[in-house]
Amino acid sequence: LSPNKAELLLPALRDEVHCVMAHLKLNALQRQWLQVGFLLAHALGRTLVLPPLWCVVDRFWTILDHCLIGSKVEMSRPFVCPLDHSFDVPAMTAQLPEWREHTFFASQRIAPQLAASTAPVRVGAAVAPDAASSAVPAPAASAPAAALPAVTLPEGATIGEAARLLRGSDARVLRLDVSDLARLCRCLADAPELQPLNRKLQGALSQPYHYCDTTDNPYFVACKAERRSGCRKHPVHLMNVSRGVQRPPMLPHEACGDAAAAGQPRCGAVELPTNYINEGVTGRTSGPQAKEGREDPIVAAMRNKM
């Protein structure tokens, strides 16, 4: 149900050098896209069908090799990954309105009348699905093909404005591409009834992460290559890891949209991480032995290769 290969198109993702950083940025975007999707679906009294969710880093209990499990793994990135790679599925099920996974429309139990009553939602100017504002192309089976005319929303419409305009649609399925969703205004000032869900989403769409990659740990790689012990617990050459919790920022619910003061931003901004190493000692290549004239032979070998 998913393509064999995909390409990151957003400059913030496409130009990112390190796979862990690209993954954290992509995850942050997807959380904020789902956040708006849940709010809009709830405002309309509809059920959100999740899009395919993508990963750049595989999930594993120990150190990764260039963000994959082992050096011999051949896998295109990004790849459609299981929901629990990046999300707390029990929390989503318990705390959020009813939702469906992206394979929902591929089920043979879905009535043909449902697919026949599908309308695309366009926000502002028409944009191709693979435009630069998209992250990755969606699998063809992730949503039914449009059978009804598009519903058009003005660019910069708040969530409340979008909901009021979409309530007039008789389509049983509304299909919204992220390139259109990104042109909505992240603001709930005119939809205070959505604020309780806005608060819940920040927690329900959050997930702890813990990644450790060979590209950030040259000492560990060299140490293991020499079959030495204690490579993970060196007193100076600490393991560089990415550890934390990703959670989407709540949408502003006051002083935004038409209620924004002069000179103040009208919409809440999409937030992306700016760093990915938060444990260990990045870039340390020598220890106390060097001060005593007894440099670690692994460090010396690494220096000679530079």
Side-chain angles (χ1 to χ4, degrees), residues 23-39:
H23 178 75
L24 293 177
K25 285 183 175 181
L26 177 57
N27 256 340
L29 275 174
Q30 291 182 125
R31 290 180 204 285
Q32 291 168 84
W33 289 336
L34 290 190
Q35 183 184 31
V36 173
F38 271 110
L39 288 166

Side-chain angles (χ1 to χ4, degrees), residues 120-261:
V121 177
R122 298 282 181 255
V123 181
V127 175
D130 60 349
S133 58
S134 297
V136 283
S142 64
L148 300 177
V151 181
T152 303
L153 304 177
E155 184 166 356
T158 63
I159 306 304
E161 290 168 343
R164 285 190 287 275
L165 291 169
L166 290 173
R167 285 192 187 106
S169 175
D170 294 327
R172 297 183 65 186
V173 178
L174 294 173
R175 193 185 69 201
L176 182 62
D177 187 84
V178 295
S179 59
D180 290 287
L181 183 145
R183 291 194 293 278
L184 292 175
C185 178
R186 292 174 58 84
C187 172
L188 294 179
D190 58 348
E193 69 278 8
L194 296 179
Q195 181 55 15
L197 178 58
N198 189 28
R199 285 193 292 265
K200 284 184 180 180
L201 283 164
Q202 189 174 43
L205 295 181
S206 68
Q207 173 82 330
Y209 64 88
H210 185 182
Y211 303 116
C212 181
D213 196 69
T214 54
T215 55
D216 298 313
N217 293 281
Y219 180 88
F220 172 83
V221 174
C223 181
K224 295 297 286 186
E226 294 198 6
R227 300 182 181 276
R228 293 178 61 168
S229 60
C231 298
R232 294 176 186 269
K233 300 180 180 180
H234 195 283
V236 174
H237 307 290
L238 306 181
M239 296 293 288
N240 293 315
V241 303
S242 304
R243 190 201 303 263
V245 177
Q246 275 205 323
R247 56 174 58 89
M250 284 201 302
L251 271 69
H253 61 282
E254 54 187 17
C256 61
D258 292 340

Side-chain angles (χ1 to χ4, degrees), residues 1 47 49-50 99-110 114 141-142 173:
L1 296 177
T47 299
V49 179
L50 305 186
W99 51 273
R100 299 288 185 270
E101 292 205 49
H102 76 91
T103 54
F104 175 75
F105 290 112
S107 172
Q108 295 182 349
R109 293 180 294 175
I110 299 301
L114 192 62
S142 64
V173 178

